[in-house]
Amino acid sequence: MAVNKKLGLTALGASLALTLAACGGEGAGSNTNTADADPSDLSIGVSMPTETSERWIADGENVESQLEEAGYTVDLQFAGDDIPTQAQQIDQMIVEGADALIVAAIDGTALSSQLQAAADQGIPVISYDRLIRETENVDFYVSFDNFRVGEAQGTALLTGLGVTDEEGNPTGVTGPFNIELFAGSLDDNNAGFFFDGAMSVIQPYIDNGTLVVKSGQTSIEQAATLRWSQETAQRRMEDLLTSSYNDGSVVNGVLSPYDGISRGIITALQNAGYGPTQDAQPRPMPAITGQDAEIASVKLIADGVQDSTIFKDTRLLAEQAVAAATAYLEEEEPEANDTETYDNGVKVVPAYLLPVETVYQDDIESVLIESEYYTAEEVAAGQSD
Ligand code: BGC
């Protein structure tokens, strides 16, 4: 008997609850009465998008180790940024009897048939960091405050240019400064939140002439970077330099949504004679933002090459994912702190959102090292273990 775990026993009548109890105890993958099962008999599929970015490796490992500590069996898969691979891995998890799924999607709309199969078998689905869209078969969303990430990136760009302080208060510096805008992958729901958040902060300074997007490429479609690819970002930056800065003008700032994209932008700029530090003349490295506090970028920030990043503590996100999965398996509802923002096109998905922190050079010690996210040695080497 397939029982929908998502309903929770409180939503069921007493007699049905008794029937459920009688049907339970079939072990991993039975999708019945998981509340009474021993965690070691329950298996959780964890689907991560890629191993090319350090943050997703950390996410996968954190979720896996925390689930294992709670006693669950874990099937962790990385999909190599390939949509069919991710679909096939999730199919396999379902076939092998997953009792819950935690999924960070590559393309937020590409998993509908897998999620229908999960729903048909009563398997709860937790959307991890990237909202799964256009389906009712997603139960819960754990992420960070993604609009706030964008606002923080916009403020970091203005701060890097000296136009505002770190709190976003204008300094009176009016430029004009040349900037360029990069966005993430349009199939990732987060990309729009980051870009909109950043533009909400930056747009007034474009409107008053303090900032000039010299290429004229101001829409998210023009700024987007498919699959958040470092190489794609490097090529676009090279093209922008060729098309818009061949008159002796220089780029003063670049809005970048992700550290890998920032590194592609930096490579293009270095190849064109920028940097490596603000002291270099006549082409100082522009103020460049980022996200994820990837170790290679933290080193670039320590070295004064990249200006800032946004730190998202993936250990805390893993905790929320594990708490949500555990709640469903115990036939309870996970605790949400946002039930309005994340409309996936079919329904508003209840969410637990975590706060983020901007990291400039001065914050590496207090934010990243004191929290033991990295050691001082890792920052110095630009590599984590
Ligand atoms: C995540 C970001 C990450 C980006 C690229 C987004 O969905 O929220 O933290 O930088 O994907 O991996």
Side-chain angles (χ1 to χ4, degrees):
M1 175 181 172
V3 171
N4 195 326
K5 288 180 293 218
K6 294 169 236 167
L7 292 175
L9 286 181
T10 49
L12 298 170
S15 64
L16 179 53
L18 283 175
T19 317
L20 288 180
C23 295
E26 291 167 32
S30 65
N31 302 316
T32 57
N33 202 13
T34 52
D36 291 342
D38 189 283
S40 63
D41 288 332
L42 299 174
S43 127
I44 302 181
V46 180
S47 172
M48 290 286 150
T50 180
E51 279 176 299
T52 56
S53 155
E54 194 188 294
R55 89 146 271 199
W56 296 112
I57 301 175
D59 283 282
E61 288 173 352
N62 287 331
V63 173
E64 181 181 46
S65 64
Q66 291 183 26
L67 285 172
E68 284 176 350
E69 267 167 41
Y72 297 109
T73 303
V74 183
D75 179 6
L76 167 64
Q77 302 287 336
F78 293 90
D81 256 338
D82 183 55
I83 296 165
T85 300
Q86 184 163 46
Q88 186 266 326
Q89 288 173 340
I90 294 173
D91 277 333
Q92 189 68 20
M93 289 170 183
I94 295 171
V95 167
E96 286 175 3
D99 292 283
L101 292 171
I102 297 174
V103 179
I106 298 164
D107 177 329
T109 59
L111 297 171
S112 296
S113 70
Q114 284 68 34
L115 300 186
Q116 188 59 52
D120 291 345
Q121 297 184 42
I123 302 170
V125 175
I126 294 150
S127 188
Y128 187 91
D129 198 48
R130 298 174 170 178
L131 185 65
I132 297 174
R133 292 187 48 79
E134 307 302 339
T135 172
E136 64 182 315
N137 301 318
V138 53
D139 299 287
F140 200 73
Y141 180 44
V142 293
S143 189
F144 296 86
D145 186 339
N146 293 305
F147 190 82
R148 177 75 202 111
V149 170
E151 288 179 328
Q153 289 170 334
T155 303
L157 179 66
L158 296 175
T159 305
L161 290 167
V163 171
T164 68
D165 65 16
E166 291 183 13
E167 274 72 52
N169 305 308
T171 56
V173 172
T174 54
F177 296 111
N178 293 327
I179 64 163
E180 293 299 335
L181 308 173
F182 282 70
S185 196
L186 294 181
D187 51 9
D188 179 342
N189 192 57
N190 289 347
F193 277 85
F194 300 153
F195 195 74
D196 290 349
M199 291 311 280
S200 73
V201 172
I202 293 171
Q203 190 66 49
Y205 293 91
I206 296 177
D207 293 344
N208 75 12
T210 302
L211 305 180
V212 178
V213 183
K214 193 141 188 288
S215 66
Q217 297 187 14
T218 53
S219 72
I220 188 169
E221 289 77 18
Q222 291 170 315
T225 315
L226 184 64
R227 297 284 111 75
W228 305 86
S229 154
Q230 178 167 340
E231 294 71 28
T232 303
Q234 181 181 335
R235 277 197 303 277
R236 177 161 178 262
M237 190 70 230
E238 286 164 358
D239 290 347
L240 291 172
L241 290 172
T242 310
S243 60
S244 305
Y245 295 88
N246 57 2
D247 56 0
S249 56
V250 295
V251 188
N252 303 117
V254 184
L255 175 75
S256 164
Y258 155 56
D259 285 344
I261 289 179
S262 313
R263 293 195 296 276
I265 293 165
I266 287 168
T267 304
L269 288 162
Q270 285 173 334
N271 290 345
Y274 282 80
T277 74
Q278 295 287 346
D279 299 325
Q281 294 296 335
R283 288 184 171 177
M285 190 55 81
I288 302 170
T289 63
Q291 174 170 207
D292 292 341
E294 292 200 331
I295 191 68
S297 294
V298 174
K299 173 148 175 58
L300 289 170
I301 294 170
D303 292 346
V305 180
Q306 185 172 320
D307 205 55
S308 63
T309 188
I310 308 299
F311 174 50
K312 299 160 78 171
D313 193 334
T314 52
R315 298 169 297 192
L316 302 182
L317 187 60
E319 263 174 36
Q320 289 307 322
V322 172
T326 305
Y328 283 121
L329 291 173
E330 291 176 352
E331 310 206 349
E332 288 163 5
E333 282 300 316
E335 183 198 337
N337 65 3
D338 184 304
T339 50
E340 286 172 9
T341 311
Y342 287 95
D343 187 335
N344 81 344
V346 175
K347 68 177 192 184
V348 177
V349 183
Y352 195 97
L353 305 179
L354 291 158
V356 299
E357 258 179 292
T358 307
V359 174
Y360 301 95
Q361 197 177 45
D362 286 352
D363 307 310
I364 293 174
E365 173 75 33
S366 60
V367 177
L368 299 177
I369 297 176
E370 282 176 16
S371 69
E372 297 182 359
Y373 202 70
Y374 295 128
T375 63
E377 292 70 33
E378 287 171 335
V379 172
Q383 278 174 352
S384 60
D385 50 26

